[in-house]
Amino acid sequence: MFAYSGHPAGADLGPLPWVGLLASGYLVAAAGDRQGWSRWRTAAWLTGCAVLAVAVSPLRDSAGDPRVHMAQHLLLGMLAPVALVLGAPVTLLLRVAPPVRRPLARLLHSAPVRLVSHPVTAAALSTGGLALVMLTPVYAAAGRHPLLHDGLHLHYLAAGYLFAWAVAGPDPAPRRPGPALRTAVLVAAAAGHAVLAKYLYAHAGHLPPGAGYDADAVRAAARLMYYGGDVAELLLAAALCADRYRRRGRRLARPLPRAGRPLTRAVPTR
């Protein structure tokens, strides 16, 4: 899924003010945390906002270049979500706004959220949505219809965020599967992304349908999709491993039972 920069240049900032609102709102919430919010989490969120700002900025000079569109896709749908998720915004909200804890807990445990936050569903929305756009006339239609164009951008960001959250997010997730399943889903999604990039490369003269791009330019975009996707997926894998390491460290750091208490239950005698 490329980003469709087909609108004329001008003073319109598009979604940039919303990105600024995300960054400033997070900073206000972090400053209000009496326990002292993690600077590393703050840096991750601001990095994600910066990447998101680049992705939605008016890159108009190469509006017809699929390589620019692919770079925007990687920033918007893969790299920015990883950094935003690592900012743990839900945890921050729970810490600074106690009145929202119960409603937010009910929302997180609702059936729709449990469905979309499952790693398999999130991977289908992310990688499957990408395939739907690239292999159907949706891509070309988005270039003609601004509302569809904006809706697809929103889907890319939301699906990428859901996938990163489901696989390696530090925020609470309802009934999150174990690390083995999440790792398997990440590997499968990475493989699907790579296969789609190779398919796009092999059929560059016909894909995306109706786009009318030069085949060589599409092949270059497919290479960027292949290798750029690897970078994003390696970052997500590193986040998954770090989360697993941190959780195991916390369990090992728990204090031992007090002296005099048995470490195991007594074996009943016959």
Side-chain angles (χ1 to χ4, degrees), residues 45-96:
W45 180 267
L46 294 180
T47 299
C49 288
V51 174
L52 184 58
V54 173
V56 300
S57 63
L59 301 175
R60 318 295 191 185
D61 293 339
S62 301
D65 190 340
R67 293 166 295 186
V68 174
H69 297 166
M70 183 57 73
Q72 291 175 320
H73 146 58
L74 292 170
L75 295 174
L76 180 66
M78 302 188 74
L79 293 172
V82 174
L84 292 173
V85 162
L86 293 179
V90 176
T91 301
L92 176 59
L93 182 62
L94 291 172
R95 290 175 61 161
V96 301

Side-chain angles (χ1 to χ4, degrees), residues 4 13 23 38 52 58 61 74 82 88 106 151 165 171 178 238:
Y4 314 98
L13 297 179
S38 167
L52 184 58
D61 293 339
L74 292 170
V82 174
R106 287 195 295 268
W165 173 43
D171 279 329

Side-chain angles (χ1 to χ4, degrees), residues 56 64 68 107 116 189 216 226 255:
V56 300
V68 174
L107 176 63
V116 299
D216 290 337
Y226 184 87

Side-chain angles (χ1 to χ4, degrees), residues 7-17 58 60:
H7 305 295
D12 182 19
L13 297 179
L16 284 177
R60 318 295 191 185

Side-chain angles (χ1 to χ4, degrees), residues 85 90 104-126 158-169 171-178 181-182 185:
V85 162
V90 176
L104 187 56
R106 287 195 295 268
L107 176 63
L108 289 175
H109 287 84
S110 64
V113 173
R114 289 202 309 268
L115 175 63
V116 299
S117 64
H118 193 280
V120 174
T121 308
L125 290 172
S126 180
Y161 188 95
L162 276 174
F163 182 63
W165 173 43
V167 170
D171 279 329
R175 301 181 184 178
R176 174 175 282 162
L181 177 60
R182 285 183 282 150
V185 171

Side-chain angles (χ1 to χ4, degrees), residues 216-253:
D216 290 337
V218 174
R219 292 189 186 98
R223 286 194 295 268
L224 181 60
M225 175 183 174
Y226 184 87
Y227 294 109
D230 284 348
V231 172
E233 288 144 3
L234 286 173
L235 290 174
L236 194 54
L240 175 59
C241 293
D243 179 70
R244 179 65 174 166
Y245 178 80
R246 183 173 59 252
R247 291 178 186 273
R248 293 193 65 180
R250 288 175 182 173
R251 287 197 296 267
L252 292 174

Side-chain angles (χ1 to χ4, degrees), residues 1-2 70 73 78 124-135 155-156 192-193 196 225:
M1 93 281 292
F2 303 133
M70 183 57 73
H73 146 58
M78 302 188 74
L125 290 172
S126 180
T127 306
L130 169 61
L132 177 66
V133 173
M134 297 302 297
L135 304 180
H155 168 78
Y156 302 153
H193 193 268
L196 185 58
M225 175 183 174

